[in-house]
Amino acid sequence: MGLIRWFKEEINNIFEKDPAARSVWEIIFCYPGFHANIFHRVAHWLWKHKLYFLGRFVSHISRFLTGIEIHPGAKIGKRFFIDHGMGVVIGETAEIGDNVTIYHQVTLGGVSLNKGKRHPTIGNNVVIGSGAKVLGPFTVGENSKIGSNSVVVKEVPPNSTVVGIPGRVVTKKDRKLLDFDHDKLPDPVANAINCIVDRVVELEKEIKTLQKKVEKYESNDKK
């Protein structure tokens, strides 16, 4: 893909995914995620050509300017969008497919000191909510969604929604379009608490019923 074509595609991608974007110039000068993406393309090219120090240096400049840390060894596909971006960390062996969106404070990290594959592989059309941590050398299947502040440490099937700490798959269904409605994600902790509250209410009713029976029995016994 030519540089100009790539440039246009990335800008159009931001317009599609961010309703706050008002002009091309605003994206070019005011979007740190876009800047980090450009820096990474340069750093990754240097890394692939074994210019490791220069790759890391370009990556370091990008981190200083944008607050986004992407290792030059990471592989990133087309139409990658980082919204806001501050605090994003993407490790060396991470692989990101096409049309992926991540929000601020997301970490694609490792959990071992192994020099081989130790970071996650993110499939196409995945959305990762703010503050989420995806840790380990597993795959997040395409069309999946990771809820905000989730900690994912194992494989995620395609078309899944994952929430919680540790992350659990709460729904699996085909999704043809990107879904950004994080407020509609199910909350397993809240559901569990609601079940407990409902059970407590039932037990209180049973206790009251038993108390009435005991009082009636004691009243008849006195007679």
Side-chain angles (χ1 to χ4, degrees), residues 6 18 66 79 87 99 108 116 136 141 148 150 156 162 168 192 206:
W6 174 87
D18 186 2
T66 68
R79 299 183 301 282
N99 204 36
L108 305 183
S148 298
S150 299
V156 176
V162 177
R168 288 166 287 182
E206 292 179 7

Side-chain angles (χ1 to χ4, degrees), residues 3 13 21 25 27 29 37 47 59 67 69 77 79 81 118 131 136 148 150 156 160 166 184 186 191 196 199 209 212:
L3 180 60
N13 181 54
W25 293 114
I27 292 173
F29 288 103
N37 204 355
W47 189 265
S59 175
E69 182 174 344
R79 299 183 301 282
F81 178 47
R118 60 189 185 280
S148 298
S150 299
V156 176
S160 299
K184 297 178 181 177
N191 291 339
I196 293 172
R199 183 56 180 156
T209 301
K212 289 180 180 179

Side-chain angles (χ1 to χ4, degrees), residues 11-27:
I11 287 178
N12 289 334
N13 181 54
I14 293 173
F15 274 123
E16 291 174 4
K17 295 179 179 177
D18 186 2
R22 290 178 172 80
S23 70
V24 172
W25 293 114
E26 181 182 8
I27 292 173

Side-chain angles (χ1 to χ4, degrees), residues 175-201:
R175 294 193 303 117
K176 299 185 183 296
L177 299 174
L178 287 177
D179 180 3
F180 297 100
D181 296 329
H182 298 288
D183 59 314
K184 297 178 181 177
L185 290 176
D187 187 342
V189 175
N191 291 339
I193 292 174
N194 288 335
C195 289
I196 293 172
V197 171
D198 291 341
R199 183 56 180 156
V200 169
V201 171

